[in-house]
Amino acid sequence: MSIEGLDRLFAPRSAALVGASPRPGSLGRSVMQKIREGGFLGQLALVNPNHSEIDGIATVPSLATLPFIPEVVIIATPRETVPGLVQDAADIGAAAAIIITAGFTADDPLAEDLRAIARRTSIRIVGPNCMGLIAPRAHFDASFAAKPALPGDLALISQSGAIATAILEWAHANKAGFSAVLSLGDKLDVDFADCLDYFAQDRNTRAILLYIENLTDARKFMSAARAAARVKPVLVVKAGRRHGRKQTGVTHSARLATPDLVYEAAFRRAGLLRVYDLDELFAAAETLAHVTPFAGDRVGILTNGVGLGQLALDRIVELGGQIATLTDETIVKLQAQFGARMTPSNPVELRGDSGPEPHAAALSILLEDPGVDAVLVMNSPTALASSRDIAIKIAETGRAYRSQALRPKPIFADWAGQQSDVEEIFAAARIPSYATEADAVRGLMYLVRWRRAQDSLMELPARFLSEFVPDTKGARSIIDAALHEERQWLNPAEASAVLDCYGIRSAPVSVVAKAEDAGIAAEAMMALGAPVALKIVSQDIVHKSEVGGVALNLAGRYAVTEAARRMEERVLDARPDAAIEGFAVQSMVPREGGRELIAGITDDPLFGPVIVFGRGGTAVEVIDDKAIGLPPLDMKLADDLIARTRVARTLGAYQGVPAANREDVARTLVKLAQMAVDLPELQDVDLNPLIADESGVIALDARMRIARPSQGRKRGPNPRLAIKPYPKEWERSLTLKGGWKVDVRPVRPDDAPLYGPFFAAVTHEDLRLRFFAPVKDFSDAFVAKLTHLDYSRAMAFAAIEHDTGQLLGVVRLHADADHREGEYAILLRSDLKGRGLGWALMRLIIEYARQDGLETISGQILRENTTMLSMCEALGFTAHGDPDDPDLKVVTLDLSTHSLSQQTG
């Protein structure tokens, strides 16, 4: 369940308040007053069996006795009565229930009763333990917030009622408006993902603000967040940042992947903008309330004070922005306008006595500069010129500019110590204004960060995944054998073999049971000319160096044998409880100038497997240089993961040390992420140190903890992944008419290069029939949207010619947020019609939709496209006119009554 019923929740035409009360200070009375003060225009009923009327409004004793069916029921009654009331609301056909009542706990039987009602009925439940809902456009304020919400285009979804009311206080003072304010409370049913899906489609919402304390369904959240962030800015404040390292973690990777860092990685992967406190959220809200996202990051500054401009410059650079370089034409215009009164550079610095007209002239010149993407106007009050008059002129100039510009650039204002009247002047002109240069720059940079995040999400990755074919079966057999022996850890030889199955190089290793055998194994290895390392092998010892279980640079059979004997004594002294299985003898790999890295996998309780990368070595946790990513990864995501660490800077060349092979580091991370996808038994992996130099990377030590998956053994992708991976199980090989061999598989991001030649082989007429309009150009961003799929809610199958690798056709399906209906589209190369490819692709997408649990498939087809309409009819679709467009027909296939055997053709 996702957005079902939310349209009536956020725009109700009728409501009932259960627990309305005449008692001053009671929750029921507070909510009743707020509903009335909000001017709700729909039908409103008060339910209270103990009073016949409240404040002159007649009451009814129960929901069953209402003269109408309320779309929303608000409940403010004692907790033990709540489940019965919600069931009553469901029984009479209410769309949603808002439970303001507090006092429920996670394992409360009453809370479980509410979950059960939500599962077996169609009613949506908000709360319990929530502040309520404010929907300004519907004049519906079912909350106990002190201040009302002004109408606007920001949606605020807060887990905390206190945070929601604090933001409302700020918004009221700053004239920021909302499309809706919702407090989720315990979110037993309606959650962040549901709200993201709803407001992503809401035309009255331009940006979404989230306050999150915790999540419960990572994959649902990630799918909704990724979809929403691609169409509008989503900002998130996450509480609990200081929750520390997992002290129970048994590997370095587990202890480095703190809960907050995993949340951070999830937000980044989804394209959300994270802010870290309410001050930042307020600055962001001020920006988003007045300015739409813009392209570019080059900032022009206009100021009447040198110091202010310099502070802004510093702050912009610190936050990753760009200082605009003024064009020669702009400099000439400024010199002509102001002469010796100012130096024509960025910041453009006017004198302290400059009044409204010079400010307006300078602003207009900056806005005309093609090298300026946004302008920050800064003013420090002086006795020589009226700051208020300057603000009025800037607002007038901004309005005039926006009315004429095809793509207007945003204007930001920093009025030092701004007064409320100045703030109102700018608000009326939709210019965000701030009291400090730090807030102004920070607000501007939120939009820059969002645009960069969108550009990053749409970048095309290197074509690497298609070349990588791991030996998954071999790796599973190694793990299965260890699990059969009831072991929790692979021994070093087994771990090395698993890495080999995934193409990750590791130092040669031999595992032996006795000290004498260690000497024999070492003698064989040293024939290659390198000394060996000796390590203890024990299921009970994870960090071997902490108990004296590592000896390096050993040469000679006797030296290794003696070192093994002494090591066993040391280890047993330190850990008398440990069961010693033997020794690992490993060839020392000479890598002068190699950088010590760590790469690993650990399992987060919420987000499932995550990838850890950073600075390695024995002091890895002390140095604490790491970044976290969610699998699966491609080469671009892997390189971004590397770039977020300090150790990334050492991978380049310096002081005679050649640059390390950064691409091979990224490949290793992609391969490690694929291990997390393929092998759910892997609970923790440490590759530490992972040595990187100009020749590539090699793991000198590998630790792998294993366990049977909690959800049972399933051959296929790890079910705990927060992001649904590439569905390899849907790869097919087809033989069509005339023995034509075609490979069909799900579309991948690295398929983007195939689309240029494919579109070139489609006629303009066929493109018009597919896209309902002439198409002349296919940008990288457009192709990226076609190839970057969220497999949780979309699928596209690409038909690839077996011999040439050329793209022949694509069929697509996108499910709605409720995952009931899917919309399809198909396009083939124009020279391939009549060969059975379109028929095969349509049958495959129908099969996929059925297995994915969809109820219907539909599509829009131009009436003149009789070929496609005939094929759909043969496949069992029914056709009817589109009520919104007479040129279109809508074809629909009911999967509950349809079978592949019904298809004819």
Side-chain angles (χ1 to χ4, degrees):
M1 186 179 287
S2 186
I3 63 172
E4 182 182 2
L6 296 192
D7 54 343
R8 288 177 287 173
L9 172 67
F10 291 111
R13 292 168 295 183
S14 57
L17 172 60
V18 185
S21 172
R23 181 166 55 87
S26 67
L27 181 61
R29 182 167 186 81
S30 297
V31 175
M32 180 185 72
Q33 289 176 326
K34 291 291 292 184
I35 294 174
R36 297 180 69 183
E37 290 168 3
F40 182 54
L41 303 177
Q43 290 179 288
L44 175 64
L46 304 182
V47 180
N48 190 319
N50 301 317
H51 299 274
S52 59
E53 60 86 24
I54 300 174
D55 289 358
I57 302 175
T59 66
V60 295
S62 67
L63 289 169
T65 59
L66 283 171
F68 63 90
I69 299 173
E71 291 187 322
V72 176
V73 173
I74 307 104
I75 299 175
T77 63
R79 58 184 292 277
E80 61 273 10
T81 67
V82 170
L85 290 170
V86 173
Q87 184 63 62
D88 291 344
D91 290 343
I92 65 173
I98 301 172
I99 306 172
I100 298 177
T101 305
F104 293 83
T105 59
D107 56 354
D108 192 331
L110 294 178
E112 184 51 43
D113 289 344
L114 292 172
R115 292 189 187 95
I117 294 170
R119 286 193 296 266
R120 68 173 179 260
T121 72
S122 61
I123 195 167
R124 303 309 308 271
I125 299 175
V126 176
N129 189 28
C130 71
M131 177 206 73
L133 164 68
I134 308 176
R137 280 187 171 79
H139 301 281
F140 185 61
D141 187 344
S143 76
F144 55 81
K147 290 286 194 301
L150 300 174
D153 49 18
L154 301 179
L156 170 62
I157 314 301
S158 174
Q159 194 165 345
S160 163
I163 295 296
T165 57
I167 294 173
L168 281 171
E169 291 288 332
W170 171 87
H172 198 265
N174 289 271
K175 305 297 187 293
F178 296 91
S179 56
V181 177
L182 181 65
S183 165
L184 292 176
D186 295 340
K187 49 186 175 55
L188 296 185
D189 174 34
V190 175
D191 59 16
F192 286 106
D194 298 333
C195 294
L196 284 167
D197 275 329
Y198 177 82
F199 288 110
Q201 302 176 26
D202 179 31
R203 281 183 270 182
N204 294 318
T205 297
R206 190 158 48 84
I208 304 169
L209 312 179
L210 306 177
Y211 171 79
I212 297 176
E213 292 174 357
N214 59 67
L215 299 170
T216 53
D217 188 332
R219 181 174 287 189
K220 181 183 177 186
F221 173 81
M222 288 297 294
S223 181
R226 293 170 75 193
R230 278 158 176 73
V231 295
K232 56 190 65 172
V234 182
L235 277 80
V236 57
V237 179
K238 167 67 178 68
R241 287 163 50 205
R242 297 306 166 198
H243 291 172
R245 182 173 292 141
K246 291 185 284 187
Q247 299 302 319
T248 57
V250 292
T251 61
H252 293 306
S253 294
R255 293 168 67 84
L256 290 173
T258 60
D260 189 68
L261 277 179
V262 177
Y263 268 102
E264 179 94 36
F267 296 153
R268 180 186 294 270
R269 183 67 175 269
L272 309 188
L273 292 181
R274 184 177 187 181
V275 295
Y276 293 94
D277 52 43
L278 289 185
D279 281 344
E280 284 197 64
L281 187 65
F282 294 157
E286 170 66 17
T287 304
L288 295 169
H290 300 103
V291 180
T292 56
F294 59 95
D297 57 4
R298 299 166 299 178
V299 183
I301 300 173
L302 172 61
T303 178
N304 69 341
V306 175
L308 278 180
Q310 293 302 318
L311 287 174
L313 281 179
D314 292 342
R315 191 66 174 149
I316 289 170
V317 173
E318 286 172 4
L319 294 180
Q322 297 290 323
I323 307 302
T325 300
L326 304 184
T327 63
D328 292 341
E329 184 179 356
T330 296
I331 290 173
V332 169
K333 289 179 180 178
L334 289 170
Q335 289 174 329
Q337 179 73 36
F338 298 103
R341 286 172 59 86
M342 54 88 74
T343 301
S345 61
N346 191 18
V348 175
E349 297 167 355
L350 300 178
R351 289 183 3 182
D353 62 350
S354 297
E357 295 301 331
H359 278 80
L363 174 60
S364 296
I365 293 171
L366 282 177
L367 290 170
E368 292 172 359
D369 190 318
V372 174
D373 299 314
V375 177
L376 171 60
V377 183
M378 311 180 73
N379 182 270
S380 180
T382 73
L384 305 175
S386 167
S387 292
R388 185 178 185 279
D389 290 347
I390 295 171
I392 292 172
K393 193 64 179 178
I394 292 295
E396 290 176 355
T397 304
R399 273 193 291 263
Y401 164 72
R402 272 200 309 274
S403 67
Q404 298 172 4
L406 183 62
R407 294 179 179 173
K409 303 171 184 178
I411 302 169
F412 299 81
D414 166 30
W415 248 238
Q418 70 176 8
Q419 302 300 312
S420 59
D421 60 337
V422 170
E423 187 177 341
E424 290 175 0
I425 291 167
F426 286 126
R430 296 192 67 81
I431 295 175
S433 61
Y434 312 86
T436 70
E437 92 291 336
D439 285 344
V441 173
R442 193 163 54 186
L444 183 155
M445 286 303 298
Y446 291 132
L447 294 183
V448 170
R449 283 173 54 201
W450 183 79
R451 176 56 63 193
R452 285 177 179 170
Q454 299 314 296
D455 293 343
S456 177
L457 290 170
M458 292 296 105
E459 286 180 11
L460 305 178
R463 193 168 177 79
F464 165 68
L465 288 176
S466 59
E467 306 163 5
F468 171 49
V469 183
D471 180 9
T472 305
K473 185 177 180 180
R476 282 179 175 154
S477 67
I478 296 167
I479 294 171
D480 285 345
L483 287 173
H484 183 71
E485 297 174 7
E486 302 296 330
R487 286 194 278 131
Q488 291 187 346
W489 295 89
L490 298 185
N491 69 39
E494 292 166 334
S496 179
V498 170
L499 292 179
D500 188 57
C501 290
Y502 278 78
I504 299 175
R505 292 178 59 205
S506 60
V509 62
S510 178
V511 175
V512 299
K514 298 179 180 179
E516 292 78 6
D517 296 334
I520 296 170
E523 189 173 40
M525 282 189 182
M526 285 185 287
L528 300 175
V532 298
L534 182 70
K535 303 173 184 179
I536 202 73
V537 176
S538 171
Q539 293 284 307
D540 303 317
I541 298 171
V542 181
H543 304 297
K544 297 177 283 290
S545 58
E546 295 178 0
V547 294
V550 179
L552 304 177
N553 290 307
L554 299 175
R557 175 175 175 176
Y558 176 77
V560 172
T561 300
E562 288 302 307
R565 289 171 178 155
R566 291 193 299 272
M567 179 180 292
E568 186 171 14
E569 292 174 0
R570 283 196 309 272
V571 171
L572 288 175
D573 284 343
R575 287 288 305 276
D577 60 316
I580 307 300
E581 299 170 29
F583 305 90
V585 182
Q586 196 169 30
S587 179
M588 295 286 291
V589 179
R591 303 296 284 262
E592 219 173 301
R595 287 70 156 177
E596 285 193 337
L597 310 173
I598 184 173
I601 301 170
T602 191
D603 192 83
D604 181 78
L606 175 64
F607 288 94
V610 299
I611 305 303
V612 180
F613 173 79
R615 173 76 177 271
T618 55
V620 58
E621 294 180 35
V622 175
I623 296 171
D624 202 30
D625 174 24
K626 79 279 188 178
I628 310 297
L630 300 186
L633 298 178
D634 58 30
M635 288 293 283
K636 182 191 174 301
L637 291 169
D639 194 66
D640 288 346
L641 186 64
I642 296 167
R644 299 206 305 271
T645 61
R646 300 190 302 276
V647 76
R649 289 174 288 195
T650 73
L651 297 179
Y654 63 92
Q655 296 184 349
V657 179
N661 189 334
R662 180 164 170 161
E663 184 175 342
D664 202 33
V665 178
R667 279 198 194 95
T668 301
L669 292 174
V670 173
K671 294 173 180 178
L672 196 63
Q674 193 60 42
M675 288 172 59
V677 171
D678 295 338
L679 308 172
E681 298 85 358
L682 282 179
Q683 301 298 297
D684 288 286
V685 175
D686 265 359
L687 306 184
N688 180 39
L690 181 72
I691 302 297
D693 63 12
E694 69 274 19
S695 65
V697 301
I698 185 169
L700 299 191
D701 191 54
R703 302 167 192 171
M704 297 185 183
R705 187 172 72 89
I706 57 175
R708 298 187 189 279
S710 58
Q711 300 182 27
R713 182 59 183 266
K714 296 179 181 178
R715 293 301 183 187
N718 192 329
R720 283 186 38 72
L721 291 165
I723 298 173
K724 189 173 181 179
Y726 173 80
K728 188 176 177 62
E729 66 273 17
W730 281 96
E731 293 181 347
R732 302 285 190 272
S733 293
L734 305 179
T735 301
L736 302 179
K737 294 179 181 178
W740 184 30
K741 293 186 180 299
V742 175
D743 297 326
V744 179
R745 58 166 175 77
V747 167
R748 301 185 301 235
D750 60 347
D751 285 331
L754 302 178
Y755 273 78
F758 170 65
F759 285 135
V762 181
T763 66
H764 293 300
E765 176 63 9
D766 283 347
L767 288 173
R768 184 186 70 82
L769 292 174
R770 162 63 178 87
F771 295 105
F772 304 159
V775 181
K776 297 181 180 179
D777 180 55
F778 296 97
S779 65
D780 285 350
F782 178 81
V783 173
K785 288 180 180 179
L786 299 179
T787 56
H788 286 67
L789 299 180
D790 176 3
Y791 298 115
S792 291
R793 58 178 67 195
M795 175 54 73
F797 288 117
I800 311 289
E801 190 162 43
H802 183 76
D803 296 330
T804 65
Q806 293 181 333
L807 181 60
L808 308 175
V810 181
V811 64
R812 314 180 63 82
L813 182 73
H814 197 285
D816 65 5
D818 294 320
H819 211 80
R820 292 179 177 173
E821 301 177 5
E823 184 174 0
Y824 89 91
I826 186 170
L827 182 65
L828 306 181
R829 263 177 36 180
S830 297
D831 59 336
L832 300 177
K833 295 177 182 178
R835 300 185 63 180
L837 180 60
W839 183 268
L841 288 177
M842 285 298 296
R843 284 174 61 91
L844 183 60
I845 205 69
I846 292 169
E847 179 190 352
Y848 172 83
R850 180 179 287 105
Q851 290 196 28
D852 200 40
L854 295 180
E855 298 173 3
T856 61
I857 301 176
S858 64
Q860 291 180 312
I861 304 173
L862 286 170
R863 287 181 181 271
E864 62 192 275
N865 192 352
T866 55
T867 302
M868 189 67 211
L869 286 169
S870 297
M871 183 172 71
C872 285
E873 182 181 355
L875 285 165
F877 285 77
T878 59
H880 58 85
D882 188 326
D884 298 322
D885 191 333
D887 294 329
L888 294 176
K889 277 200 167 187
V890 176
V891 294
T892 303
L893 182 67
D894 185 345
L895 294 172
S896 64
T897 60
H898 176 270
S899 67
L900 291 175
S901 61
Q902 291 177 282
Q903 300 169 6
T904 61

